Each structure stands twice: as structure tokens, then as C-alpha cells.
């Protein structure tokens, strides 16, 4: 009985260790996405911080996106993980790290596929299209933009804002083809956008769609303008009620003047005066609403127009005001452009020393911008790859810890198995010895009994 009980305890220990070992396997853990629909204050905090810092401190913005991604991974929120990978890809695209953005967007796509969430997949396709476009991979850009558009056009659910996504993608495609001089294809995209508007009841009464209608009309006007049909562009620009519309009309008149300056100087001067009128209205508008980046652009445009009209002193004064405002609000690209325009103005005045000076300042500013941009890209790349290395080291450390735990458990299991076998054989040998001793006693008693019986008989 003692031997049987010991053996039962031994096998119970072995079975418990086996179950413990199998339960430690990484393939058996996690709640999946059971908590993905639960409110997560931390994720909301990370998202709000990332959005707030996006335009002012991209490094910190990306940091909070990575925190949101890490939190999603740690809590096994699969859908949230897909969303944060998408955001990280978008932010890196904005930062100019297109290869890194491509990597995160591809990961996001793989995370979305198991859920068959077409809206999420289409959003990633759309972003990948933008990313490949900026990488210069036109074929891939069109492929993914078309994929996004195809999904948006097939979505029928009410919670999916189908019309506006179709409009956004088609307008972006129209801009893409326009910028590359493929005006016929750009025009086809514009026509498709207008068909979508026609299919939406009362779309013209909704501000949500009115802004997009204005964008579509602006696209049409710019297609006319850049394809040389400038007479068709002006009525559209005048009809539009957009904040930057004065700038567009001024641009139209300036381009028109530049086209005929060598043929009809007086007519070009008239067009330049019209351009000045609209750029002045733009300046007044942006000064009223305190839109400093656009105000800097207005100074730049007016400085160029004054130079074309031969008002060199006014051009210099306007550009210097614009340069001062650009420095204050850190508008580096516009600052470099105004230095170049100022150099041109001094050149037309015959002051070549000043022209050369400001051209050198223009080049130095441009080089500084490029260097700063490259340094930002390099810094973000270093942070990204350093983080990636640390994550790999962390995963490797976890794997090594799991491996050591398994090895420890296996060693313990082996030790207990050997110990159990030793105990088993020990008790087995002891039991056999006891049985032999008992049998010997029985045999001795039998001999004694026989001797006693023989003695009795003899007596």
C-alpha cells in the first residue's frame, strides 16, 4: 500500500510539471482582441499628444505614437496595434523617411488582413500610395491608390464615409496627374469627382462636402491654368470662395504677364497690376486672420510683382518685411526664396555686388535648410533603428529567458523522474527484502513446528 501511494504521488508530480511546461508556450497565451473595444485612457492620451506636437515637434510626436504602439502590443490589442502602425507610417512619411514608413505601413496592412476590415485596409492602401508617390515610385503609387479607391467604391455600410473618401482619393489622383502634365487623365479624375457629387443628395448644402467641391473646382481651374487655357481658369478662380483664392488669381495674372512680356510689354504691365491688386487683397485677408505663413508668401509675391513693374525700392522694402516675418516664424523655404527674389531685384537695378551677396545668402539658407532637413531625417533614422535594435534585443532576451525557463523545467522534470525511479526501485527492493525475511521467518517457524511435532512423536 505504501509503495502504490508513493508511485501515484510521483506520477501526479510528473503530469503537473508537463502541464506547467506546455502552458508556458507563447503560442497559448493572450486574450486576442477581446479588449480592443474597451476604452483605453492611455491610448487617448498618446494620440492627443501625438496630434498636438505633430506640427511643432515631430520627434516627440513620433515618440508618443511609438508609446501607443507599445501599449497596444503589451495588452494584445490587435486592431489598435494595426491603427498605431498606420499612424507611425504616416508620421515617418511626413518626416521624409519613406523606407521606414513603407515598413510600418506594410506591417499595419498585415495586421488588418485577419480582421477583414476593408475600411482599415483601404486607409493603409491610400497612405501607401502617397508614400510611394513621394518616393518617386509612380507605378506602385498608382497601384495602391487605385486599390484604395476600389475598396472605397465597394463599401456600402452607413458607418463608412464612402463618398468623401472617394472624392479625396480622386482629387489627389487628379493633382498627381496634373503635376506630371497628364492633363487628360487629371480631367477624367475631376469628372469622376463631379459624378460622385451629383449622386449625393443636397451635397451643396453641406459644409462637409462644400469644401471638397471647392477643392474639385480649384483642381479644374489649375488644370486649365497649367495646360495653357488660362482664360478658362480665371472665371473659376473668381467664383470660388476660398481663403487662398486671391493668391490663385494673382498667380494667374502673373503667369499671364510672364507669357507675353517679350511680345507686348504694356499688356504684361497691365496684367502685373491686376496680379498686384489680388495679392494685396490676399495680404489684407491673411493679415486680418493672422495667418503668418500665408502672409509671408504674400510679401514674397508682392515683392516679385513690384520688381516686374519696375518699382525696385518698393520690391526691396516689401521683401525685407517678408524676410523679417519669415525669420520670426521660421519659414525657412520662403526665406530662401525671398533672398533669391531680392538678388534678382538688385540684378535688375544693376547693383551686381548686392545681387551676388543676396544670391550667396540664398544659397547658404537653402543649404542650411537641406542640412537641417537631412539632420532631422538622420536623427529620426538613428532613433528608429536604435529603437528597433532595442526591441530586437528585448525580444531576444525574452526568448532566451523563456528558453532558460524551459530548460530549467526540463532539468527539474528529469531530476524528478530519476529521483522518482530511484525511490520506486528502492521501495521495490525493500519490499522484496521484507517479503524474503517474512518468508524466511515462516520457513523457520515451519522447521521449528516440525521439530516440535517430531519431538512429541518421539516422546
Amino acid at each position: 500500500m505504501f509503495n502504490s501511494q508513493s508511485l501515484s504521488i510521483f506520477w501526479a508530480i510528473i503530469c503537473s510539471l508537463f502541464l506547467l511546461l506546455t502552458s508556458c508556450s507563447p503560442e497559448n497565451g493572450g486574450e486576442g482582441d477581446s479588449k480592443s473595444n474597451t476604452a483605453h485612457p492611455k491610448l487617448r492620451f498618446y494620440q492627443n499628444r501625438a496630434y498636438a506636437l505633430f506640427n511643432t515637434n515631430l520627434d516627440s510626436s513620433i515618440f508618443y505614437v511609438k508609446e501607443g504602439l507599445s501599449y497596444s502590443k503589451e495588452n494584445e490589442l490587435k486592431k489598435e496595434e494595426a491603427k498605431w502602425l498606420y499612424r507611425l507610417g504616416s508620421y515617418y512619411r511626413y518626416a521624409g523617411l519613406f523606407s521606414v514608413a513603407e515598413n510600418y505601413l506594410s506591417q499595419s496592412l498585415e495586421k488588418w488582413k485577419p480582421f477583414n476590415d476593408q475600411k482599415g485596409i483601404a486607409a493603409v492602401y491610400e497612405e501607401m500610395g502617397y508614400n510611394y508617390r513621394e518616393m518617386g515610385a509612380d507605378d506602385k503609387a498608382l497601384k495602391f491608390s487605385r486599390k484604395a479607391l476600389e475598396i472605397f467604391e465597394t463599401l456600402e455600410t452607413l458607418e463608412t464615409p464612402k463618398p468623401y473618401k472617394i472624392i479625396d482619393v480622386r482629387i489627389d489622383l487628379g493633382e498627381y496627374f496634373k503635376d506630371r502634365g497628364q492633363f487628360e487623365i487629371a480631367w477624367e479624375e475631376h469628372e469622376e469627382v463631379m459624378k460622385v457629387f451629383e449622386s449625393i443628395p443636397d451635397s451643396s448644402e453641406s459644409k462637409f462636402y462644400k469644401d471638397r467641391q471647392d477643392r474639385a473646382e480649384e483642381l479644374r481651374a489649375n488644370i486649365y491654368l497649367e495646360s495653357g487655357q488660362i482664360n478658362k481658369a480665371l472665371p473659376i478662380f473668381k467664383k470660388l470662395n476660398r481663403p487662398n483664392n486671391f493668391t490663385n488669381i494673382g498667380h494667374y495674372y502673373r503667369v499671364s504677364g510672364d507669357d507675353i512680356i517679350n511680345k507686348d510689354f504694356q499688356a504684361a504691365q497691365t496684367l502685373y497690376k491686376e496680379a498686384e491688386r489680388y495679392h494685396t487683397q490676399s495680404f489684407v485677408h491673411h493679415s486680418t486672420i493672422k495667418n503668418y505663413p500665408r502672409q509671408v508668401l504674400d510679401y514674397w509675391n508682392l515683392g516679385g510683382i513690384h520688381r516686374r513693374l519696375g518699382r525696385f525700392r518698393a520690391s526691396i522694402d516689401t521683401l525685407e518685411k517678408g524676410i523679417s516675418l519669415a525669420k520670426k516664424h521660421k519659414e525657412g523655404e520662403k526665406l530662401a526664396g525671398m533672398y533669391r527674389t531680392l538678388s534678382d531685384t538688385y540684378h535688375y537695378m544693376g547693383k551686381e555686388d548686392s545681387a551676388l551677396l543676396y544670391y550667396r545668402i540664398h544659397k547658404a539658407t537653402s543649404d542650411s535648410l537641406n542640412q537641417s532637413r537631412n539632420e532631422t531625417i538622420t536623427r529620426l533614422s538613428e532613433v528608429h533603428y536604435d529603437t528597433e535594435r532595442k526591441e530586437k534585443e528585448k525580444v531576444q532576451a525574452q526568448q532566451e529567458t523563456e528558453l532558460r525557463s524551459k530548460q530549467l523545467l526540463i532539468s527539474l522534470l528529469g531530476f524528478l523522474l530519476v529521483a522518482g525511479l530511484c525511490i520506486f526501485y528502492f521501495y521495490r527492493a525493500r519490499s522484496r527484502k521484507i517479503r524474503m525475511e517474512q518468508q524466511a521467518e515462516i520457513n523457520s517457524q515451519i522447521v521449528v513446528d516440525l521439530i516440535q511435532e517430531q519431538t512429541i512423536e518421539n516422546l
Side-chain angles (χ1 to χ4, degrees):
M1 184 68 180
F2 180 80
N3 180 43
S4 176
Q5 186 179 9
S6 301
L7 191 60
S8 299
I9 293 172
F10 163 70
W11 285 115
I13 293 172
I14 296 298
C15 291
S16 299
L17 284 171
F18 177 76
L19 290 173
L20 179 62
L21 180 63
T22 55
S23 67
C24 290
S25 172
E27 297 177 359
N28 294 332
E31 297 181 52
D33 206 44
S34 61
K35 298 181 287 183
S36 62
N37 295 323
T38 307
H40 291 278
K42 274 193 175 181
L43 288 182
R44 288 200 301 273
F45 169 75
Y46 293 144
Q47 184 173 332
N48 291 338
R49 292 299 297 159
Y51 286 163
L53 295 168
F54 182 77
N55 291 318
T56 57
N57 192 332
L58 191 57
D59 294 29
S60 298
S61 183
I62 289 175
F63 167 79
Y64 283 109
V65 176
K66 286 185 174 180
E67 288 294 302
L69 178 60
S70 298
Y71 182 86
S72 301
K73 286 181 177 179
E74 290 170 3
N75 291 274
E76 297 184 6
L77 305 173
K78 304 299 183 184
K79 274 196 174 183
E80 291 297 330
E81 187 178 345
K83 293 176 184 177
W84 286 96
L85 284 167
Y86 166 80
R87 292 188 184 109
L88 199 52
S90 301
Y91 282 32
Y92 273 116
R93 176 180 71 83
Y94 183 82
L97 277 73
F98 305 123
S99 297
V100 177
E102 179 185 11
N103 177 38
Y104 282 115
L105 291 171
S106 298
Q107 290 183 51
S108 176
L109 186 61
E110 292 304 314
K111 293 292 182 181
W112 277 120
K113 285 181 178 179
F115 297 104
N116 196 29
D117 189 317
Q118 295 300 302
K119 182 180 176 183
I121 291 172
V124 177
Y125 281 148
E126 183 182 8
E127 186 65 24
M128 289 177 82
Y130 299 148
N131 191 58
Y132 282 123
R133 191 175 304 169
E134 295 190 40
M135 290 174 72
D138 291 351
D139 292 342
K140 286 185 177 181
L142 284 177
K143 173 185 173 183
F144 283 101
S145 293
R146 294 294 188 193
K147 278 186 174 182
L149 183 60
E150 182 180 348
I151 295 175
F152 285 134
E153 288 180 333
T154 55
L155 288 173
E156 299 292 343
T157 54
L158 292 175
E159 65 268 22
T160 303
K162 170 187 168 185
Y164 96 81
K165 291 304 295 182
I166 294 173
I167 292 167
D168 286 346
V169 175
R170 286 205 176 275
I171 289 178
D172 288 328
L173 284 170
E175 293 283 353
Y176 170 80
F177 289 118
K178 172 186 70 68
D179 292 342
R180 282 155 181 77
Q182 297 173 280
F183 301 117
E184 291 183 6
I185 304 177
W187 185 254
E188 289 174 3
E189 294 296 339
H190 174 267
E191 289 182 336
E192 291 296 325
V193 170
M194 300 313 294
K195 288 179 183 178
V196 177
F197 281 124
E198 291 171 4
S199 67
I200 304 171
D202 302 325
S203 63
S204 61
E205 298 178 7
S206 169
K207 186 179 184 303
F208 189 73
Y209 288 107
K210 185 65 172 66
D211 291 341
R212 286 172 169 79
Q213 284 178 322
D214 288 346
R215 279 185 62 202
E217 285 298 285
E218 188 174 9
L219 170 63
R220 183 161 71 104
N222 281 317
I223 292 172
Y224 282 137
L225 182 64
E226 295 185 27
S227 64
Q229 304 178 65
I230 51 181
N231 291 328
K232 293 182 179 180
L234 183 59
I236 301 172
F237 279 134
K238 286 185 175 180
K239 181 181 176 183
L240 288 173
N241 184 25
R242 291 176 64 79
N244 302 328
N245 205 37
F246 294 132
T247 302
N248 289 328
I249 298 174
H251 176 68
Y252 156 78
Y253 279 115
R254 182 183 63 76
V255 170
S256 301
D258 289 344
D259 285 343
I260 64 170
I261 186 67
N262 295 324
K263 300 176 183 177
D264 191 337
F265 180 79
Q266 290 301 325
Q269 293 292 297
T270 302
L271 292 171
Y272 290 147
K273 288 178 181 178
E274 283 297 299
E276 178 189 15
R277 184 163 68 90
Y278 281 104
H279 283 310
T280 301
Q281 291 183 53
S282 178
F283 175 79
V284 171
H285 171 72
H286 292 132
S287 299
T288 302
I289 64 174
K290 296 182 179 180
N291 186 335
Y292 298 114
R294 300 295 303 187
Q295 197 174 344
V296 171
L297 181 61
D298 292 328
Y299 274 125
W300 187 6
N301 286 326
L302 284 169
I305 292 298
H306 285 316
R307 177 182 63 75
R308 286 171 171 82
L309 289 169
R311 304 171 188 162
F312 300 127
R313 190 67 256 169
S315 175
I316 292 170
D317 291 343
T318 302
L319 290 169
E320 286 179 347
K321 290 178 182 177
I323 287 169
S324 177
L325 191 62
K327 287 179 178 179
K328 182 178 179 180
H329 295 281
K330 299 180 180 179
E331 291 291 323
E333 292 185 2
K334 297 184 182 74
L335 179 64
M338 282 189 287
Y339 278 131
R340 177 58 190 267
T341 304
L342 194 57
S343 172
D344 292 342
T345 301
Y346 279 113
H347 169 70
Y348 280 100
M349 292 174 69
K351 297 182 178 181
E352 296 301 333
D353 291 343
S354 297
L356 181 59
L357 172 63
Y358 282 106
Y359 180 77
R360 287 174 176 169
I361 296 175
H362 155 73
K363 285 293 294 179
T365 306
S366 298
D367 292 343
S368 176
L369 283 172
N370 291 331
Q371 183 180 355
S372 177
R373 189 179 295 110
N374 291 335
E375 286 175 354
T376 300
I377 292 174
T378 302
R379 184 176 64 256
L380 289 172
S381 297
E382 289 174 351
V383 171
H384 164 69
Y385 290 115
D386 184 56
T387 303
E388 195 174 58
R389 178 182 57 79
K390 288 180 180 178
E391 288 178 353
K392 286 181 179 178
E393 290 175 353
K394 183 180 178 181
V395 171
Q396 187 177 357
Q398 289 175 344
Q399 291 174 344
E400 290 175 355
T401 302
E402 290 175 0
L403 181 60
R404 284 195 296 269
S405 299
K406 287 182 179 180
Q407 289 173 343
L408 180 61
L409 286 171
I410 292 171
S411 299
L412 181 59
L413 181 62
F415 171 76
L416 289 174
L417 180 61
V418 172
L421 289 172
C422 291
I423 293 170
F424 172 74
Y425 283 112
F426 170 76
Y427 280 110
R428 183 178 178 185
R430 184 179 177 186
S431 178
R432 182 180 296 175
K433 181 180 178 181
I434 291 172
R435 284 199 304 272
M436 290 175 67
E437 289 175 352
Q438 289 174 345
Q439 188 64 43
E441 289 179 1
I442 291 171
N443 291 339
S444 298
Q445 187 63 43
I446 291 172
V447 170
V448 171
D449 290 343
L450 287 173
I451 292 172
Q452 288 177 350
E453 288 178 1
Q454 187 66 39
T455 302
I456 293 170
E457 288 178 0
N458 290 337
L459 289 173

